[in-house]
Amino acid sequence: QVQVAESGGGLVQAGGSLRLSCAVSESYFSITVIGWYRQAPGKQRDLVADISSGGSTNYADSVKGRFTISRDNAKSTVYLQMNNLKPEDTAVYYCHADIRLDERNVRTYRYWGQGTQVTVSS
C-alpha cells in the first residue's frame, strides 16, 4: 500500500520548537487531505491539524497560534511546525493522508504513518 513515514520528533524543553515531516510515496493519484493526529498514553487519538488539496487548514483549539501545517507538493511531504511547545503536547504524532489511488474514480483511502514521539519537558 501507500507508504507514509514521519520524522522530526524528539525531546524538547517547554517553550521550544520542533518541525515534524511526513513523506508519502508517489504510488497514488492525489492526496485529498493530509495532516496529523496525536495520542498520549491512555488517551484517544485526536486531530492536531490537517490541510486539504485546496489549501484549507484545520487546527485543534489547543494548538492554534502555536502550530502551523504546510505542504510541499513537489516532495509529497507535509510539515508541522510546532512552536512554544507545552508539556501537554507530549504524545505520539501520527501522519494521516486521505488518498485517491486512481484518476478514474473519486474514492479515497486513509493511510497512517507509524508515529513519531514528541516529549516536552517542564
Side-chain angles (χ1 to χ4, degrees), residues 3-109:
Q3 299 294 311
V4 179
E6 306 100 327
S7 62
L11 173 63
V12 298
Q13 295 180 347
S17 298
L18 285 172
R19 185 176 179 87
L20 305 184
S21 299
C22 174
V24 181
S25 72
E26 297 184 357
S27 301
Y28 59 87
F29 174 67
S30 65
I31 300 173
T32 304
V33 178
I34 188 168
W36 298 86
Y37 281 71
R38 67 185 181 187
Q39 186 171 23
K43 299 186 180 297
Q44 67 181 18
R45 186 175 298 186
D46 294 322
L47 177 69
V48 178
D50 62 24
I51 184 167
S52 73
S53 60
S56 298
T57 57
N58 292 300
Y59 295 94
D61 288 342
S62 60
V63 307
K64 288 181 179 178
R66 300 188 297 121
F67 291 10
T68 303
I69 189 168
S70 61
R71 185 172 59 191
D72 185 339
N73 291 330
K75 297 181 179 180
S76 297
T77 301
V78 66
Y79 304 96
L80 186 68
Q81 179 66 46
M82 305 186 294
N83 297 326
N84 192 24
L85 284 161
K86 302 176 180 180
E88 51 263 42
D89 296 319
T90 296
V92 177
Y93 285 68
Y94 297 91
C95 182
H96 75 275
D98 294 341
I99 295 172
R100 287 182 61 183
L101 300 180
D102 194 302
E103 68 274 19
R104 294 182 295 276
N105 68 76
V106 299
R107 184 177 180 182
T108 62
Y109 301 83

